[in-house]
Amino acid sequence: MTVVLPRPRAAEHAERIATPRRYLMCRPDHFAVDYAINPWMDVTRGADRALAIRQWESLRQTYLALGHEVQLIDPEPGLPDMVFAANGGLVFEGEALGARFTHPERHAEGPAYLRWLRAAGLKTVTEPVHVNEGEGDFLVVGDLVLAGTGFRTDPGAHGEVQELFGVPVVSLHLVDPRFYHLDTALAVLGDHDIAYYPEAFSPGSRAVLQRLFPDAILAGEQDATVLGLNAVSDGRNVVLPSTATDLADQLRAHGYTPVGVDLSELLKAGGSVKCCTLEIRA
Ligand code: ARG
């Protein structure tokens, strides 16, 4: 199948248009690093929950200041990673697919997010068959879904999303355990525009990305290893970790407005801006 994506020309960079978004977030009231399911998590180092809450609150305020709607799901005791709302499902054109987590430590988050989605007034909410970690591994780029596999989401879930939503799903293989979810290695900037860290992908997947997005921003290792690509764009403003300074410069050069935030405490669990944010797409 050939996917033809219109390519923005340099002159179009000047006018990036922001559109209002609806986000779901979960306050890190029970946040902790007391198990390790990715290389970022060091149980001996622990985490400062009060600081995590303040940093998370500043992210929420950033979205509100940009004019976006932020809805909240009640955090549940015993689910320290529930703050990473992106993993709670995938919502496309008002229809949702729930999540089914890889690790037992996070299993109970699947039903918790499903309950929220069922009460959110969406057209349909579907319980997943295959393991999938929601927007951690599924990223919507215009009329296309990019789907990660290799560490968490089962490739069977890629077909499930394609069949459920009737949208083309492009499978991408992640190869570096530091970038265990697609949203740690690739950021969606606009309907036809992404940024990514090539080294996180298999050679074939890199070639696919190059073919589909020849004008993409390529992030370097320094930006990737502060999870700079774990970013949220409204089409113009790109909220990202403030430590990803080169990426911020590249975004500016492409006509975007980078908005840096400090989520250092959440990084200790291997998450940042995008991980804390599930987009509820009408
Ligand atoms: N500690 C969590 C995990 O390993 C972090 C999840 C980050 N979320 C994301 N969308 N990348 O599952």
Side-chain angles (χ1 to χ4, degrees), residues 54-74:
R54 286 200 297 279
Q55 293 178 337
W56 175 91
E57 181 58 27
S58 76
L59 175 62
R60 191 177 76 90
Q61 291 300 334
T62 300
Y63 290 141
L64 294 174
L66 289 171
H68 303 305
E69 182 186 348
V70 178
Q71 291 186 283
L72 299 176
I73 179 173
D74 289 334

Side-chain angles (χ1 to χ4, degrees), residues 35 37-38 41 81 84-87 101 103 106 133 135-137 152 180-184 227 230 266 269-272 274-276:
Y35 55 74
I37 55 172
N38 70 55
M41 303 176 89
D81 274 335
F84 300 117
N87 299 131
F101 287 81
H103 297 99
R106 300 194 68 185
E133 296 200 350
E135 280 202 326
D137 277 319
R152 300 289 179 90
Y180 56 93
H181 274 143
L182 183 63
D183 73 355
T184 63
L227 293 189
N230 199 246
L266 295 158
S272 193
K274 172 60 207 169
C275 297
C276 293

Side-chain angles (χ1 to χ4, degrees), residues 62 92 215 220 253 269:
T62 300
F92 184 81
D215 303 318

